[in-house]
Amino acid sequence: MRINLKKFEAVIFDMDGVLTDTASTHAKAWKKTFDEYLKKRARQKGEQFRPFGVNFDYRRHVDGKPRYDGVDSFLRSRGISLPRGDPGDGPERETVYGLGNKKNQYFVRILKKEGVRTYSSSVDLIRELKTRGIKAAVISSSLNCGDVLDAANIRGLFDVKVDGVDMGKLGLEGKPNPAIFIEAAKKLRVKPKRSVVVEDSLAGVEAGRRGGFGLVIGVDRQGQAEELRKNGADMVVKDL
């Protein structure tokens, strides 16, 4: 499949897994957080410990979603209900916010220790698009998006950024709701049908399809090409 760039004015890139390898960092942080909680719960209730699965649980329940929505989604998949709590809950609190904040602590620690790796082909593509007059936006549900872009030294490549902080301020729903992509298109001053969405998560490609975007490209980093297509990707590539 060839892409006719004359049909599009902008490309909206998800950050984690498309531009940076921070998806694996997020997965490590989620696994540490949930496994600690699940082990403690198993001991208290005399249940069998079932660890958080990076391949299935991460992809299905937390990848691409706002942090606290991810906590709630995964717990519900295990039949666990915790109080929402308060955004200021410490990591020791057994609430949705408490677990989400614990995950963020682990994510920041791993990020500082291991740094940020970018996918060079993605960066090269953005630079090529810019030479052709095509706008570029970056989106992420992460509250740490700005720090990651700065650490990777790629913030300056984008005309627009919409992240987890903006979602909170604007009251935007998380993926698979297309709100974050629509907001990026709005800031770029282009219509969704004249824009391309590039995503690696199932929730992300579904959001692109639901938002009426002209083309949705799925980037398959985790061997889920068929699932990406089923969720709305027009085409799936291993690498940009």
Side-chain angles (χ1 to χ4, degrees):
M1 179 178 179
R2 295 180 64 84
I3 301 172
N4 181 3
L5 292 179
K6 293 180 180 179
K7 294 174 58 178
F8 304 107
E9 299 175 54
V11 181
I12 303 172
F13 296 86
D14 177 50
M15 182 181 71
D16 298 319
V18 173
L19 305 174
T20 63
D21 191 23
T22 38
S24 62
T25 308
H26 282 293
K28 289 178 185 178
W30 280 119
K31 181 168 178 60
K32 186 170 178 60
T33 299
F34 283 130
D35 281 358
E36 286 181 359
Y37 169 72
L38 293 170
K39 284 178 181 177
K40 180 179 178 182
R41 179 184 173 87
R43 288 195 302 268
Q44 291 175 339
K45 296 186 175 292
E47 300 172 345
Q48 182 179 2
F49 165 61
R50 289 173 52 210
F52 176 83
V54 170
N55 288 330
F56 181 80
D57 292 321
Y58 175 72
R59 284 173 13 201
R60 280 286 177 188
H61 303 297
V62 300
D63 188 20
K65 298 180 182 179
R67 184 187 308 158
Y68 307 113
D69 289 352
V71 174
D72 190 58
S73 177
F74 171 69
L75 292 180
R76 287 181 183 277
S77 77
R78 294 291 181 93
I80 301 171
S81 178
L82 288 181
R84 188 78 174 176
D86 184 85
D89 282 354
E92 74 285 349
R93 296 291 304 277
E94 290 190 1
T95 63
V96 170
Y97 279 110
L99 287 180
N101 293 337
K102 175 181 281 190
K103 179 266 175 180
N104 189 55
Q105 283 191 354
Y106 286 140
F107 175 79
V108 172
R109 289 177 191 171
I110 297 170
L111 192 66
K112 288 181 178 178
K113 180 180 179 181
E114 300 181 2
V116 179
R117 183 175 75 88
T118 60
Y119 292 105
S120 59
S121 60
S122 298
V123 175
D124 290 344
L125 174 61
I126 296 166
R127 290 185 171 132
E128 175 65 21
L129 291 172
K130 302 284 280 186
T131 67
R132 299 181 182 222
I134 295 177
K135 299 176 183 178
V138 57
I139 66 95
S140 174
S141 301
S142 174
L143 296 169
N144 298 303
C145 177
D147 293 335
V148 173
L149 292 174
D150 288 338
N153 198 30
I154 58 173
R155 187 195 284 254
L157 290 177
F158 302 98
D159 301 287
V160 162
K161 172 179 72 68
V162 184
D163 61 11
V165 176
D166 300 308
M167 293 178 72
K169 290 179 180 178
L170 298 172
L172 304 179
E173 291 187 40
K175 307 169 196 173
N177 187 293
I180 192 169
F181 291 110
I182 292 172
E183 179 64 22
K186 179 181 175 182
K187 287 188 174 183
L188 287 168
R189 298 183 179 180
V190 298
K191 294 180 179 180
K193 67 180 180 181
R194 294 278 290 167
S195 307
V196 179
V197 162
V198 185
E199 262 282 1
D200 73 312
S201 72
L202 302 180
V205 294
E206 182 179 343
R209 174 57 53 237
R210 289 172 58 181
F213 286 83
L215 181 68
V216 180
I217 300 175
V219 181
D220 181 24
R221 308 277 191 204
Q222 304 180 59
Q224 55 180 355
E226 189 56 36
E227 290 175 283
L228 287 167
R229 291 189 185 94
K230 287 180 179 178
N231 279 58
D234 295 301
M235 62 184 298
V236 177
V237 298
K238 288 284 187 183
D239 189 89
L240 291 177

